Amino acid sequence: MQTLFRPADTGHILFIHDHIEQDACDVPFGRAASRLQLFHALMQVQGWHVDTQRMLYDRAYACERLALAHTCSDDALRALSVELFGQYQH
């Protein structure tokens, strides 16, 4: 079985296979994709890199980036990190 993802910012389709799917982040697209784009932009303002595509399939990486964002003094970034973290807790 494969799960298909189509990130809005690339137009590419990512295939997550069964052996990876157990660790894959089950983040619904649409609104979540736009929230990840906002997260990326807010992280850049802080000078921090984030690979939004990697956040779609690497839960450990996503949680590390979200934890870093939560340490920021930017209220919007901290609130968004909490919101997105909830998406990874399924």
Side-chain angles (χ1 to χ4, degrees):
M1 178 180 185
Q2 295 178 340
T3 304
L4 302 178
F5 295 107
R6 186 185 304 268
D9 59 331
T10 66
H12 298 287
I13 296 174
L14 303 176
F15 294 94
I16 308 298
H17 299 279
D18 280 350
H19 65 282
I20 298 173
E21 193 171 314
Q22 294 172 357
D23 295 325
C25 302
D26 188 20
V27 178
F29 279 88
R31 183 172 188 276
S34 66
R35 302 305 280 168
L36 280 176
Q37 290 172 352
L38 176 58
F39 181 72
H40 180 265
L42 292 173
M43 289 288 279
Q44 281 188 317
V45 169
Q46 298 302 316
W48 295 332
H49 174 75
V50 62
D51 182 341
T52 52
Q53 284 194 344
R54 184 174 174 190
M55 289 186 70
L56 298 174
Y57 63 85
D58 186 341
R59 185 182 306 270
Y61 173 79
C63 289
E64 183 271 327
R65 295 282 90 188
L66 293 169
L68 176 62
H70 196 260
T71 67
C72 180
S73 62
D74 182 320
D75 291 337
L77 181 54
R78 277 198 335 269
L80 183 56
S81 71
V82 170
E83 174 189 328
L84 290 173
F85 186 74
Q87 297 289 322
Y88 291 90
Q89 298 307 304
H90 296 293

